[in-house]
Amino acid sequence: WRNLYLTPARLIAVNVSKINAAKQASEQSDPPAEGREREPNLKVWDSAFESRIFAQMDAFMQRCRNLLELCEWRAQFTYKLACDETAADQAAGAAQKEQSDAMDAEDDEDEEGEKKKSKVVDLLPAFGGTQAVEIHSSLKAVRESFHKYMNVLVKVKYDPLDVRAPEWHEDFSLFKTQVKDLETVLHNIIKRSLDMEISTFAAFDALEAFRNLATRDSVKRVVEKKTQELIEKFEEDMNLVRTTFDQNRKNPPVERRSPRF
C-alpha cells in the first residue's frame, strides 16, 4: 500500500488480479441452476449463510476498486510539464524519482534490454504565448494540491485493504470529494486556456499539450469536445478565406506598399 504513491501501475495489476480471483470464488460458490436440475439431491449453500461468508469478500473487492480509482487519479494529477526542467523543480522531485527508479529497477531488470531497444521519447506538455505563465502556474497549483491530499491518505495508520478498518470509508470519501473538485478546476483551466487563444493555430498547439496531459476519461472528454469546437472554428475560418477570395479574385485589393507592376 505504501508504494501506491510511487508505482500505481504495479498496484493496478495486483488489484485487478485480486478482484478477478474474488469474483471467480464467488461464482463457484453456488452451482448453476442447470446442475441443480440434473442433480436434485445436490446440496447447495443457504443464501443467508452465503451472504455472511462473502460479505467480507465483497467489501475487499470494493476496497480494491477504490484503490484502482485512486491509481487513476494519481496517474492524472502527477503529470510533468516542460517548465519543470529547472533546477528548483528537479531538486524538489529528486528524492521521489530516486525511490521510484530503484523500485522499478528491481521489477524490470529482465525487461531492461527490451525497453532500451523500443524506448520512445515522451514529449512533456508545453505551453507558449502570453498565457504560458498563467497556465503553468494553474497546472502546478492543481498538482501540488493533489500531492497534499495524497500524502494525507498515504499516511493513514491502518491498512486500506483491511475490511475491518472502517476509517477508510470516511478518509476515501473526503479524498474523493477533494479530487473531484480538482478535476473541475482542471476542466476549467483547459476550457479557459483554449477559449482565450487569439488564433486557431495557437489553440491547436495548446490543445496538443492538453491532450498529452489527459489520462482520465472525464478530462479526455473535455479535450475531445474542445477539439471538435476548434475543428469547426477552423472550418469557419477557411470558409471565410474562400468567400473573401471569390469576392475579390477578379479585382483583388492592392496595398499601398505593394510594388506598382
PDB file of all heavy atoms in Angstrom, residues 69-106:
ATOM      1  N   GLU A  69      -9.284   3.243  -8.555  1.00  0.00           N
ATOM      2  CA  GLU A  69      -9.682   4.611  -8.885  1.00  0.00           C
ATOM      3  C   GLU A  69      -8.640   5.609  -8.389  1.00  0.00           C
ATOM      4  O   GLU A  69      -8.333   6.596  -9.069  1.00  0.00           O
ATOM      5  CB  GLU A  69     -11.048   4.907  -8.252  1.00  0.00           C
ATOM      6  CG  GLU A  69     -11.679   6.192  -8.733  1.00  0.00           C
ATOM      7  CD  GLU A  69     -13.101   6.352  -8.243  1.00  0.00           C
ATOM      8  OE1 GLU A  69     -13.503   5.605  -7.321  1.00  0.00           O
ATOM      9  OE2 GLU A  69     -13.809   7.233  -8.766  1.00  0.00           O
ATOM     10  N   LEU A  70      -8.080   5.338  -7.224  1.00  0.00           N
ATOM     11  CA  LEU A  70      -7.039   6.199  -6.680  1.00  0.00           C
ATOM     12  C   LEU A  70      -5.808   6.209  -7.586  1.00  0.00           C
ATOM     13  O   LEU A  70      -5.186   7.250  -7.807  1.00  0.00           O
ATOM     14  CB  LEU A  70      -6.684   5.725  -5.263  1.00  0.00           C
ATOM     15  CG  LEU A  70      -5.904   6.672  -4.366  1.00  0.00           C
ATOM     16  CD1 LEU A  70      -6.225   6.394  -2.905  1.00  0.00           C
ATOM     17  CD2 LEU A  70      -4.421   6.553  -4.598  1.00  0.00           C
ATOM     18  N   CYS A  71      -5.469   5.034  -8.119  1.00  0.00           N
ATOM     19  CA  CYS A  71      -4.331   4.944  -9.043  1.00  0.00           C
ATOM     20  C   CYS A  71      -4.587   5.753 -10.307  1.00  0.00           C
ATOM     21  O   CYS A  71      -3.669   6.400 -10.845  1.00  0.00           O
ATOM     22  CB  CYS A  71      -4.070   3.486  -9.406  1.00  0.00           C
ATOM     23  SG  CYS A  71      -3.379   2.490  -8.069  1.00  0.00           S
ATOM     24  N   GLU A  72      -5.805   5.737 -10.790  1.00  0.00           N
ATOM     25  CA  GLU A  72      -6.137   6.510 -11.983  1.00  0.00           C
ATOM     26  C   GLU A  72      -5.997   8.008 -11.719  1.00  0.00           C
ATOM     27  O   GLU A  72      -5.496   8.752 -12.564  1.00  0.00           O
ATOM     28  CB  GLU A  72      -7.563   6.182 -12.433  1.00  0.00           C
ATOM     29  CG  GLU A  72      -7.733   4.758 -12.947  1.00  0.00           C
ATOM     30  CD  GLU A  72      -9.174   4.440 -13.288  1.00  0.00           C
ATOM     31  OE1 GLU A  72     -10.038   5.322 -13.065  1.00  0.00           O
ATOM     32  OE2 GLU A  72      -9.451   3.328 -13.766  1.00  0.00           O
ATOM     33  N   TRP A  73      -6.440   8.443 -10.544  1.00  0.00           N
ATOM     34  CA  TRP A  73      -6.296   9.855 -10.189  1.00  0.00           C
ATOM     35  C   TRP A  73      -4.827  10.225 -10.068  1.00  0.00           C
ATOM     36  O   TRP A  73      -4.403  11.293 -10.483  1.00  0.00           O
ATOM     37  CB  TRP A  73      -7.013  10.150  -8.875  1.00  0.00           C
ATOM     38  CG  TRP A  73      -8.481  10.326  -9.030  1.00  0.00           C
ATOM     39  CD1 TRP A  73      -9.136  10.923 -10.069  1.00  0.00           C
ATOM     40  CD2 TRP A  73      -9.495   9.909  -8.113  1.00  0.00           C
ATOM     41  NE1 TRP A  73     -10.496  10.902  -9.856  1.00  0.00           N
ATOM     42  CE2 TRP A  73     -10.743  10.286  -8.654  1.00  0.00           C
ATOM     43  CE3 TRP A  73      -9.482   9.264  -6.875  1.00  0.00           C
ATOM     44  CZ2 TRP A  73     -11.948  10.048  -8.007  1.00  0.00           C
ATOM     45  CZ3 TRP A  73     -10.683   9.028  -6.239  1.00  0.00           C
ATOM     46  CH2 TRP A  73     -11.899   9.415  -6.794  1.00  0.00           C
ATOM     47  N   ARG A  74      -4.067   9.325  -9.471  1.00  0.00           N
ATOM     48  CA  ARG A  74      -2.640   9.589  -9.297  1.00  0.00           C
ATOM     49  C   ARG A  74      -1.969   9.738 -10.660  1.00  0.00           C
ATOM     50  O   ARG A  74      -1.127  10.616 -10.862  1.00  0.00           O
ATOM     51  CB  ARG A  74      -2.009   8.441  -8.495  1.00  0.00           C
ATOM     52  CG  ARG A  74      -0.592   8.724  -7.991  1.00  0.00           C
ATOM     53  CD  ARG A  74       0.427   8.273  -8.984  1.00  0.00           C
ATOM     54  NE  ARG A  74       1.779   8.427  -8.490  1.00  0.00           N
ATOM     55  CZ  ARG A  74       2.854   8.252  -9.219  1.00  0.00           C
ATOM     56  NH1 ARG A  74       2.734   7.906 -10.485  1.00  0.00           N
ATOM     57  NH2 ARG A  74       4.051   8.409  -8.710  1.00  0.00           N
ATOM     58  N   ALA A  75      -2.328   8.890 -11.623  1.00  0.00           N
ATOM     59  CA  ALA A  75      -1.757   8.983 -12.957  1.00  0.00           C
ATOM     60  C   ALA A  75      -2.137  10.296 -13.640  1.00  0.00           C
ATOM     61  O   ALA A  75      -1.362  10.843 -14.426  1.00  0.00           O
ATOM     62  CB  ALA A  75      -2.211   7.795 -13.807  1.00  0.00           C
ATOM     63  N   GLN A  76      -3.326  10.821 -13.341  1.00  0.00           N
ATOM     64  CA  GLN A  76      -3.778  12.060 -13.971  1.00  0.00           C
ATOM     65  C   GLN A  76      -3.096  13.290 -13.383  1.00  0.00           C
ATOM     66  O   GLN A  76      -2.684  14.203 -14.110  1.00  0.00           O
ATOM     67  CB  GLN A  76      -5.297  12.194 -13.827  1.00  0.00           C
ATOM     68  CG  GLN A  76      -5.867  13.509 -14.326  1.00  0.00           C
ATOM     69  CD  GLN A  76      -5.610  13.724 -15.799  1.00  0.00           C
ATOM     70  OE1 GLN A  76      -6.215  13.106 -16.643  1.00  0.00           O
ATOM     71  NE2 GLN A  76      -4.672  14.618 -16.121  1.00  0.00           N
ATOM     72  N   PHE A  77      -2.972  13.343 -12.076  1.00  0.00           N
ATOM     73  CA  PHE A  77      -2.561  14.587 -11.427  1.00  0.00           C
ATOM     74  C   PHE A  77      -1.080  14.651 -11.060  1.00  0.00           C
ATOM     75  O   PHE A  77      -0.653  15.634 -10.459  1.00  0.00           O
ATOM     76  CB  PHE A  77      -3.402  14.818 -10.171  1.00  0.00           C
ATOM     77  CG  PHE A  77      -4.826  15.177 -10.464  1.00  0.00           C
ATOM     78  CD1 PHE A  77      -5.833  14.240 -10.312  1.00  0.00           C
ATOM     79  CD2 PHE A  77      -5.161  16.435 -10.927  1.00  0.00           C
ATOM     80  CE1 PHE A  77      -7.149  14.564 -10.589  1.00  0.00           C
ATOM     81  CE2 PHE A  77      -6.467  16.765 -11.209  1.00  0.00           C
ATOM     82  CZ  PHE A  77      -7.469  15.820 -11.041  1.00  0.00           C
ATOM     83  N   THR A  78      -0.303  13.645 -11.388  1.00  0.00           N
ATOM     84  CA  THR A  78       1.142  13.728 -11.159  1.00  0.00           C
ATOM     85  C   THR A  78       1.861  13.943 -12.486  1.00  0.00           C
ATOM     86  O   THR A  78       2.946  13.412 -12.707  1.00  0.00           O
ATOM     87  CB  THR A  78       1.665  12.454 -10.465  1.00  0.00           C
ATOM     88  OG1 THR A  78       1.321  11.313 -11.249  1.00  0.00           O
ATOM     89  CG2 THR A  78       1.078  12.306  -9.081  1.00  0.00           C
ATOM     90  N   TYR A  79       1.239  14.715 -13.365  1.00  0.00           N
ATOM     91  CA  TYR A  79       1.807  14.980 -14.678  1.00  0.00           C
ATOM     92  C   TYR A  79       3.087  15.810 -14.547  1.00  0.00           C
ATOM     93  O   TYR A  79       3.323  16.511 -13.567  1.00  0.00           O
ATOM     94  CB  TYR A  79       0.796  15.724 -15.555  1.00  0.00           C
ATOM     95  CG  TYR A  79       0.077  16.847 -14.863  1.00  0.00           C
ATOM     96  CD1 TYR A  79       0.712  18.055 -14.574  1.00  0.00           C
ATOM     97  CD2 TYR A  79      -1.254  16.702 -14.480  1.00  0.00           C
ATOM     98  CE1 TYR A  79       0.048  19.073 -13.944  1.00  0.00           C
ATOM     99  CE2 TYR A  79      -1.928  17.721 -13.833  1.00  0.00           C
ATOM    100  CZ  TYR A  79      -1.272  18.914 -13.568  1.00  0.00           C
ATOM    101  OH  TYR A  79      -1.930  19.933 -12.922  1.00  0.00           O
ATOM    102  N   LYS A  80       3.912  15.693 -15.574  1.00  0.00           N
ATOM    103  CA  LYS A  80       5.117  16.508 -15.682  1.00  0.00           C
ATOM    104  C   LYS A  80       4.923  17.531 -16.796  1.00  0.00           C
ATOM    105  O   LYS A  80       4.289  17.258 -17.801  1.00  0.00           O
ATOM    106  CB  LYS A  80       6.336  15.636 -15.980  1.00  0.00           C
ATOM    107  CG  LYS A  80       6.706  14.690 -14.853  1.00  0.00           C
ATOM    108  CD  LYS A  80       7.956  13.896 -15.209  1.00  0.00           C
ATOM    109  CE  LYS A  80       8.342  12.946 -14.080  1.00  0.00           C
ATOM    110  NZ  LYS A  80       9.576  12.171 -14.422  1.00  0.00           N
ATOM    111  N   LEU A  81       5.481  18.703 -16.594  1.00  0.00           N
ATOM    112  CA  LEU A  81       5.392  19.781 -17.561  1.00  0.00           C
ATOM    113  C   LEU A  81       6.783  20.148 -18.063  1.00  0.00           C
ATOM    114  O   LEU A  81       7.782  19.898 -17.388  1.00  0.00           O
ATOM    115  CB  LEU A  81       4.727  21.014 -16.931  1.00  0.00           C
ATOM    116  CG  LEU A  81       3.329  20.801 -16.342  1.00  0.00           C
ATOM    117  CD1 LEU A  81       2.895  22.036 -15.570  1.00  0.00           C
ATOM    118  CD2 LEU A  81       2.322  20.485 -17.431  1.00  0.00           C
ATOM    119  N   ALA A  82       6.825  20.732 -19.252  1.00  0.00           N
ATOM    120  CA  ALA A  82       8.111  21.124 -19.803  1.00  0.00           C
ATOM    121  C   ALA A  82       8.802  22.159 -18.926  1.00  0.00           C
ATOM    122  O   ALA A  82      10.026  22.202 -18.841  1.00  0.00           O
ATOM    123  CB  ALA A  82       7.922  21.676 -21.221  1.00  0.00           C
ATOM    124  N   CYS A  83       8.018  22.994 -18.240  1.00  0.00           N
ATOM    125  CA  CYS A  83       8.599  24.024 -17.381  1.00  0.00           C
ATOM    126  C   CYS A  83       9.193  23.433 -16.109  1.00  0.00           C
ATOM    127  O   CYS A  83       9.823  24.155 -15.322  1.00  0.00           O
ATOM    128  CB  CYS A  83       7.561  25.079 -17.030  1.00  0.00           C
ATOM    129  SG  CYS A  83       6.167  24.443 -16.063  1.00  0.00           S
ATOM    130  N   ASP A  84       9.006  22.142 -15.866  1.00  0.00           N
ATOM    131  CA  ASP A  84       9.590  21.503 -14.685  1.00  0.00           C
ATOM    132  C   ASP A  84      11.083  21.297 -14.840  1.00  0.00           C
ATOM    133  O   ASP A  84      11.767  20.946 -13.868  1.00  0.00           O
ATOM    134  CB  ASP A  84       8.933  20.141 -14.419  1.00  0.00           C
ATOM    135  CG  ASP A  84       7.491  20.290 -13.989  1.00  0.00           C
ATOM    136  OD1 ASP A  84       7.145  21.354 -13.453  1.00  0.00           O
ATOM    137  OD2 ASP A  84       6.715  19.342 -14.198  1.00  0.00           O
ATOM    138  N   GLU A  85      11.605  21.466 -16.054  1.00  0.00           N
ATOM    139  CA  GLU A  85      13.023  21.219 -16.299  1.00  0.00           C
ATOM    140  C   GLU A  85      13.869  22.383 -15.796  1.00  0.00           C
ATOM    141  O   GLU A  85      14.651  22.979 -16.511  1.00  0.00           O
ATOM    142  CB  GLU A  85      13.267  20.990 -17.797  1.00  0.00           C
ATOM    143  CG  GLU A  85      12.515  19.813 -18.365  1.00  0.00           C
ATOM    144  CD  GLU A  85      12.923  18.516 -17.684  1.00  0.00           C
ATOM    145  OE1 GLU A  85      14.116  18.363 -17.383  1.00  0.00           O
ATOM    146  OE2 GLU A  85      12.053  17.669 -17.454  1.00  0.00           O
ATOM    147  N   THR A  86      13.698  22.725 -14.547  1.00  0.00           N
ATOM    148  CA  THR A  86      14.504  23.760 -13.908  1.00  0.00           C
ATOM    149  C   THR A  86      15.202  23.155 -12.713  1.00  0.00           C
ATOM    150  O   THR A  86      14.817  22.100 -12.201  1.00  0.00           O
ATOM    151  CB  THR A  86      13.625  24.937 -13.455  1.00  0.00           C
ATOM    152  OG1 THR A  86      12.688  24.468 -12.482  1.00  0.00           O
ATOM    153  CG2 THR A  86      12.879  25.542 -14.632  1.00  0.00           C
ATOM    154  N   ALA A  87      16.207  23.812 -12.237  1.00  0.00           N
ATOM    155  CA  ALA A  87      16.993  23.275 -11.120  1.00  0.00           C
ATOM    156  C   ALA A  87      16.135  23.119  -9.874  1.00  0.00           C
ATOM    157  O   ALA A  87      16.247  22.127  -9.147  1.00  0.00           O
ATOM    158  CB  ALA A  87      18.182  24.191 -10.837  1.00  0.00           C
ATOM    159  N   ALA A  88      15.263  24.093  -9.623  1.00  0.00           N
ATOM    160  CA  ALA A  88      14.447  24.028  -8.405  1.00  0.00           C
ATOM    161  C   ALA A  88      13.482  22.863  -8.453  1.00  0.00           C
ATOM    162  O   ALA A  88      13.332  22.115  -7.477  1.00  0.00           O
ATOM    163  CB  ALA A  88      13.675  25.334  -8.235  1.00  0.00           C
ATOM    164  N   ASP A  89      12.804  22.680  -9.609  1.00  0.00           N
ATOM    165  CA  ASP A  89      11.841  21.592  -9.723  1.00  0.00           C
ATOM    166  C   ASP A  89      12.538  20.231  -9.707  1.00  0.00           C
ATOM    167  O   ASP A  89      12.018  19.266  -9.161  1.00  0.00           O
ATOM    168  CB  ASP A  89      11.028  21.737 -11.018  1.00  0.00           C
ATOM    169  CG  ASP A  89      10.101  22.931 -10.955  1.00  0.00           C
ATOM    170  OD1 ASP A  89       9.532  23.171  -9.880  1.00  0.00           O
ATOM    171  OD2 ASP A  89       9.961  23.617 -11.972  1.00  0.00           O
ATOM    172  N   GLN A  90      13.711  20.149 -10.324  1.00  0.00           N
ATOM    173  CA  GLN A  90      14.436  18.891 -10.318  1.00  0.00           C
ATOM    174  C   GLN A  90      14.881  18.522  -8.913  1.00  0.00           C
ATOM    175  O   GLN A  90      14.826  17.360  -8.510  1.00  0.00           O
ATOM    176  CB  GLN A  90      15.663  18.995 -11.240  1.00  0.00           C
ATOM    177  CG  GLN A  90      15.297  18.992 -12.721  1.00  0.00           C
ATOM    178  CD  GLN A  90      16.530  19.127 -13.602  1.00  0.00           C
ATOM    179  OE1 GLN A  90      17.615  19.407 -13.107  1.00  0.00           O
ATOM    180  NE2 GLN A  90      16.348  18.932 -14.888  1.00  0.00           N
ATOM    181  N   ALA A  91      15.312  19.515  -8.125  1.00  0.00           N
ATOM    182  CA  ALA A  91      15.728  19.239  -6.751  1.00  0.00           C
ATOM    183  C   ALA A  91      14.554  18.792  -5.899  1.00  0.00           C
ATOM    184  O   ALA A  91      14.676  17.894  -5.066  1.00  0.00           O
ATOM    185  CB  ALA A  91      16.369  20.484  -6.147  1.00  0.00           C
ATOM    186  N   ALA A  92      13.376  19.400  -6.136  1.00  0.00           N
ATOM    187  CA  ALA A  92      12.205  19.043  -5.346  1.00  0.00           C
ATOM    188  C   ALA A  92      11.753  17.620  -5.606  1.00  0.00           C
ATOM    189  O   ALA A  92      11.273  16.930  -4.712  1.00  0.00           O
ATOM    190  CB  ALA A  92      11.061  20.015  -5.652  1.00  0.00           C
ATOM    191  N   GLY A  93      11.908  17.155  -6.856  1.00  0.00           N
ATOM    192  CA  GLY A  93      11.445  15.805  -7.181  1.00  0.00           C
ATOM    193  C   GLY A  93      12.534  14.765  -7.230  1.00  0.00           C
ATOM    194  O   GLY A  93      12.292  13.634  -7.629  1.00  0.00           O
ATOM    195  N   ALA A  94      13.756  15.135  -6.820  1.00  0.00           N
ATOM    196  CA  ALA A  94      14.877  14.200  -6.930  1.00  0.00           C
ATOM    197  C   ALA A  94      14.693  12.988  -6.037  1.00  0.00           C
ATOM    198  O   ALA A  94      14.924  11.850  -6.450  1.00  0.00           O
ATOM    199  CB  ALA A  94      16.183  14.917  -6.588  1.00  0.00           C
ATOM    200  N   ALA A  95      14.271  13.221  -4.782  1.00  0.00           N
ATOM    201  CA  ALA A  95      14.129  12.106  -3.841  1.00  0.00           C
ATOM    202  C   ALA A  95      13.060  11.130  -4.309  1.00  0.00           C
ATOM    203  O   ALA A  95      13.253   9.905  -4.289  1.00  0.00           O
ATOM    204  CB  ALA A  95      13.783  12.640  -2.460  1.00  0.00           C
ATOM    205  N   GLN A  96      11.911  11.649  -4.750  1.00  0.00           N
ATOM    206  CA  GLN A  96      10.825  10.789  -5.203  1.00  0.00           C
ATOM    207  C   GLN A  96      11.238  10.005  -6.448  1.00  0.00           C
ATOM    208  O   GLN A  96      10.954   8.810  -6.567  1.00  0.00           O
ATOM    209  CB  GLN A  96       9.591  11.635  -5.512  1.00  0.00           C
ATOM    210  CG  GLN A  96       8.420  10.808  -6.030  1.00  0.00           C
ATOM    211  CD  GLN A  96       7.218  11.684  -6.310  1.00  0.00           C
ATOM    212  OE1 GLN A  96       7.103  12.774  -5.802  1.00  0.00           O
ATOM    213  NE2 GLN A  96       6.317  11.186  -7.136  1.00  0.00           N
ATOM    214  N   LYS A  97      11.935  10.652  -7.379  1.00  0.00           N
ATOM    215  CA  LYS A  97      12.362   9.974  -8.597  1.00  0.00           C
ATOM    216  C   LYS A  97      13.368   8.870  -8.284  1.00  0.00           C
ATOM    217  O   LYS A  97      13.336   7.788  -8.870  1.00  0.00           O
ATOM    218  CB  LYS A  97      12.973  10.983  -9.564  1.00  0.00           C
ATOM    219  CG  LYS A  97      13.331  10.388 -10.920  1.00  0.00           C
ATOM    220  CD  LYS A  97      13.872  11.458 -11.844  1.00  0.00           C
ATOM    221  CE  LYS A  97      14.105  10.875 -13.237  1.00  0.00           C
ATOM    222  NZ  LYS A  97      15.039   9.755 -13.232  1.00  0.00           N
ATOM    223  N   GLU A  98      14.254   9.126  -7.328  1.00  0.00           N
ATOM    224  CA  GLU A  98      15.254   8.127  -6.967  1.00  0.00           C
ATOM    225  C   GLU A  98      14.605   6.884  -6.387  1.00  0.00           C
ATOM    226  O   GLU A  98      14.953   5.757  -6.732  1.00  0.00           O
ATOM    227  CB  GLU A  98      16.231   8.727  -5.954  1.00  0.00           C
ATOM    228  CG  GLU A  98      17.361   7.788  -5.560  1.00  0.00           C
ATOM    229  CD  GLU A  98      18.323   8.431  -4.594  1.00  0.00           C
ATOM    230  OE1 GLU A  98      18.187   9.650  -4.344  1.00  0.00           O
ATOM    231  OE2 GLU A  98      19.201   7.724  -4.076  1.00  0.00           O
ATOM    232  N   GLN A  99      13.609   7.069  -5.499  1.00  0.00           N
ATOM    233  CA  GLN A  99      12.900   5.932  -4.922  1.00  0.00           C
ATOM    234  C   GLN A  99      12.135   5.172  -5.990  1.00  0.00           C
ATOM    235  O   GLN A  99      12.135   3.942  -6.029  1.00  0.00           O
ATOM    236  CB  GLN A  99      11.942   6.409  -3.831  1.00  0.00           C
ATOM    237  CG  GLN A  99      12.659   6.950  -2.601  1.00  0.00           C
ATOM    238  CD  GLN A  99      11.674   7.466  -1.570  1.00  0.00           C
ATOM    239  OE1 GLN A  99      10.499   7.699  -1.888  1.00  0.00           O
ATOM    240  NE2 GLN A  99      12.128   7.655  -0.360  1.00  0.00           N
ATOM    241  N   SER A 100      11.464   5.907  -6.870  1.00  0.00           N
ATOM    242  CA  SER A 100      10.672   5.265  -7.914  1.00  0.00           C
ATOM    243  C   SER A 100      11.557   4.463  -8.858  1.00  0.00           C
ATOM    244  O   SER A 100      11.239   3.336  -9.216  1.00  0.00           O
ATOM    245  CB  SER A 100       9.887   6.331  -8.690  1.00  0.00           C
ATOM    246  OG  SER A 100       9.142   5.738  -9.718  1.00  0.00           O
ATOM    247  N   ASP A 101      12.703   5.047  -9.252  1.00  0.00           N
ATOM    248  CA  ASP A 101      13.604   4.344 -10.164  1.00  0.00           C
ATOM    249  C   ASP A 101      14.171   3.087  -9.516  1.00  0.00           C
ATOM    250  O   ASP A 101      14.328   2.055 -10.181  1.00  0.00           O
ATOM    251  CB  ASP A 101      14.745   5.270 -10.580  1.00  0.00           C
ATOM    252  CG  ASP A 101      14.267   6.394 -11.477  1.00  0.00           C
ATOM    253  OD1 ASP A 101      13.144   6.266 -12.014  1.00  0.00           O
ATOM    254  OD2 ASP A 101      14.989   7.384 -11.634  1.00  0.00           O
ATOM    255  N   ALA A 102      14.475   3.161  -8.208  1.00  0.00           N
ATOM    256  CA  ALA A 102      15.033   1.999  -7.522  1.00  0.00           C
ATOM    257  C   ALA A 102      14.036   0.859  -7.476  1.00  0.00           C
ATOM    258  O   ALA A 102      14.378  -0.310  -7.703  1.00  0.00           O
ATOM    259  CB  ALA A 102      15.458   2.387  -6.109  1.00  0.00           C
ATOM    260  N   MET A 103      12.767   1.177  -7.203  1.00  0.00           N
ATOM    261  CA  MET A 103      11.736   0.139  -7.114  1.00  0.00           C
ATOM    262  C   MET A 103      11.428  -0.433  -8.494  1.00  0.00           C
ATOM    263  O   MET A 103      11.229  -1.633  -8.642  1.00  0.00           O
ATOM    264  CB  MET A 103      10.473   0.713  -6.484  1.00  0.00           C
ATOM    265  CG  MET A 103      10.682   1.176  -5.051  1.00  0.00           C
ATOM    266  SD  MET A 103       9.168   1.789  -4.334  1.00  0.00           S
ATOM    267  CE  MET A 103       8.214   0.300  -4.310  1.00  0.00           C
ATOM    268  N   ASP A 104      11.419   0.430  -9.489  1.00  0.00           N
ATOM    269  CA  ASP A 104      11.142  -0.055 -10.844  1.00  0.00           C
ATOM    270  C   ASP A 104      12.279  -0.930 -11.364  1.00  0.00           C
ATOM    271  O   ASP A 104      12.049  -1.882 -12.104  1.00  0.00           O
ATOM    272  CB  ASP A 104      10.933   1.129 -11.797  1.00  0.00           C
ATOM    273  CG  ASP A 104       9.635   1.849 -11.520  1.00  0.00           C
ATOM    274  OD1 ASP A 104       8.747   1.223 -10.894  1.00  0.00           O
ATOM    275  OD2 ASP A 104       9.499   3.014 -11.901  1.00  0.00           O
ATOM    276  N   ALA A 105      13.501  -0.605 -10.954  1.00  0.00           N
ATOM    277  CA  ALA A 105      14.650  -1.376 -11.433  1.00  0.00           C
ATOM    278  C   ALA A 105      14.601  -2.808 -10.946  1.00  0.00           C
ATOM    279  O   ALA A 105      14.991  -3.739 -11.661  1.00  0.00           O
ATOM    280  CB  ALA A 105      15.946  -0.707 -10.974  1.00  0.00           C
ATOM    281  N   GLU A 106      14.096  -3.021  -9.736  1.00  0.00           N
ATOM    282  CA  GLU A 106      14.018  -4.374  -9.190  1.00  0.00           C
ATOM    283  C   GLU A 106      13.079  -5.253 -10.002  1.00  0.00           C
ATOM    284  O   GLU A 106      13.333  -6.435 -10.209  1.00  0.00           O
ATOM    285  CB  GLU A 106      13.556  -4.316  -7.741  1.00  0.00           C
ATOM    286  CG  GLU A 106      14.543  -3.624  -6.815  1.00  0.00           C
ATOM    287  CD  GLU A 106      14.016  -3.545  -5.405  1.00  0.00           C
ATOM    288  OE1 GLU A 106      12.880  -4.047  -5.182  1.00  0.00           O
ATOM    289  OE2 GLU A 106      14.700  -3.001  -4.533  1.00  0.00           O
TER     290      GLU A 106
END
